[in-house]
Amino acid sequence: MWPPHAVIREVGLRDGLQSIKTVVPTEQKKAWIRAAHAAGQREIEVGSFVPAKLLPQLADTAELVAFARTLPGLFVSVLVPNLRGAEAAIDSGANLMIVPLSASNAHSLANLRKTPDDVVAEVARIRAARDAAGARTLIECGVGTAFGCTLQGHVAPDEVLRLMQALLDAGADRVSLADTVGYADPRMVRELFERAIALAGDRFWCGHFHDTRGLGLANVLAALQTGVTRFDACLAGIGGCPHAPGASGNVTTEDLAYMLGSMGVETGLDIDALLALRQQVQGWLAGETLHGTLWRAGLPRTFAGARHAAA
C-alpha cells in the first residue's frame, strides 16, 4: 500500500527563516546544512534570491548555494519570485529554482504584486532565460493557497488546475501543490492531488503542507496514498508566509521522518541526528516559536524493530 521510499526536502533555511525576526549568521546556516546532509538529507532549499532589504535573513543565499554544492549528492534548491531572481539562481549553479504562484488572486497581489496569470507569463520568460543560458537548473512551480486563502477565502480547485496546466505550458519542468495557510484536510488533499497527478503525470513533484490546524501529517498521508513521494518540511516546524495571516508552522521534518519510518517508508534520514540538529537550531533561534512533538517524547522503544520488520 505504501511506497518503499519517500524524500523529505528541508525548507527551513528559506521558508522557516523568512518568517521569523532572528537573522541567523551565515556560518550557522552552513553548519545547519552540513549537519542536515550528515543526517541523510539529500534535498535542501537553502534560501531565496529576493532583495536583501525585504528579507535580510536570506541575503546570503548565493554563498549558501556555493557551499551546499560542495556536499556530495546534495540537490540544492532556491526560491525565486521573478526573472531577476531566476537569473541569480542560474548564476549561482543551483540545481533547482522554485517559482511560487498563488492560486488566490488576493494573495498573489499581496505576495508578489502580480496576478496569477502574470506569474505564468514570468515563468515563460524564466524558461527562455534558462534555455538561452544553456543552464541545467530545473524550474519547479509551486501552486500555493491551493486549498483556500486567509485573504480571499475559497479557491476553486478548477482554477488551481487551470494554473497548473498554464505553468506546464509556459515551460515549467515540475509543478507542486502547497497548502500555504493550513486550510486543507485529508479528503481535500486526496481529491485535488489525484486530479493534479492525472494532469501533470511524472512532472508533479512535491507536496507542501502547513500544520496550522494540526492536520499537516494527516495531509501528507493522504497525498502519499495518491502516489506522491516528495514532501517539504521544516526542522522544528518553523515557517509560514509573511503575506498570509495565520500561515504558521510547516510540517515538522523530524516528526514526518518518524511517521514515514515507523510506517516502513524509507527516507534515508537519521532521526537521532535530526533531533540533535533541532536542539542546536533551537539555541540559534532563542525566543522564536518552535513546533513538533517527537523532540518531547523521543523515539519509542519499538521504532527500530518496526522499521526492520517493514524492510
Side-chain angles (χ1 to χ4, degrees):
M1 179 178 181
W2 307 113
H5 305 282
V7 175
I8 298 175
R9 176 169 60 186
E10 176 60 48
V11 299
L13 286 140
R14 194 278 304 172
D15 196 338
L17 296 185
Q18 76 173 12
S19 305
I20 62 179
K21 294 181 179 179
T22 303
V23 178
V24 177
T26 302
E27 291 307 311
Q28 289 181 352
K29 291 183 185 179
K30 289 180 180 179
W32 181 343
I33 294 169
R34 188 184 300 110
H37 179 265
Q41 218 121 35
R42 290 299 177 265
E43 295 193 16
I44 301 177
E45 186 180 72
V46 302
S48 177
F49 285 105
V50 295
K53 65 181 180 180
L54 296 180
L55 286 174
Q57 298 97 322
L58 307 180
D60 53 2
T61 295
E63 184 175 349
L64 293 177
V65 171
F67 169 74
R69 288 295 307 275
T70 68
L71 298 175
L74 183 58
F75 191 81
V76 183
S77 60
V78 294
L79 183 135
V80 301
N82 50 35
L83 176 59
R84 184 174 180 179
E87 290 170 341
I90 291 168
D91 290 342
S92 76
N95 298 113
L96 179 143
M97 51 183 158
I98 303 163
V99 184
L101 177 148
S102 179
S104 159
N105 191 71
H107 179 259
S108 185
L109 291 171
N111 192 35
L112 297 173
R113 299 180 183 177
K114 296 183 178 74
T115 68
D117 287 297
D118 289 338
V119 177
V120 171
E122 189 81 345
V123 168
R125 289 188 284 270
I126 290 170
R127 173 60 186 257
R130 191 277 305 272
D131 291 351
R136 296 184 178 180
T137 306
L138 292 172
I139 302 168
E140 175 186 339
C141 293
V143 182
T145 60
F147 299 91
C149 170
T150 51
L151 300 177
Q152 177 176 305
H154 178 68
V155 175
D158 285 349
E159 175 67 358
V160 173
L161 296 170
R162 180 190 74 82
L163 290 165
M164 180 174 286
Q165 183 64 65
L167 289 165
L168 291 168
D169 293 343
D173 298 301
R174 306 281 188 269
V175 287
S176 301
L177 286 175
D179 180 23
T180 310
V181 295
Y183 275 13
D185 63 48
R187 179 176 177 175
M188 294 163 63
V189 169
R190 182 161 190 146
E191 291 175 354
L192 185 58
F193 271 63
E194 285 178 344
R195 295 180 66 188
I197 293 167
L199 184 154
D202 60 6
R203 296 167 74 184
F204 189 90
W205 194 241
C206 190
H208 181 107
F209 297 105
H210 285 222
D211 198 38
T212 314
R213 291 165 180 82
L215 292 179
L217 290 179
N219 290 333
V220 167
L221 191 64
L224 197 71
Q225 290 175 317
T226 70
V228 176
T229 57
R230 178 176 280 97
F231 301 96
D232 288 343
C234 282
L235 194 76
I238 56 178
C241 177
H243 300 289
S248 59
N250 283 264
V251 168
T252 304
T253 301
E254 57 272 25
D255 289 4
L256 177 56
Y258 162 64
M259 182 187 81
L260 293 174
S262 186
M263 292 167 57
V265 180
E266 182 57 56
T267 64
L269 297 178
D270 181 332
I271 298 176
D272 287 326
L274 286 178
L275 290 172
L277 175 56
R278 178 201 164 101
Q279 186 70 26
Q280 189 174 18
V281 170
Q282 183 174 337
W284 299 337
L285 301 180
E288 301 288 354
T289 300
L290 308 182
H291 303 276
T293 56
L294 184 66
W295 71 277
R296 290 192 186 95
L299 288 169
R301 294 176 63 184
T302 56
F303 177 70
R307 183 171 59 181
H308 178 74

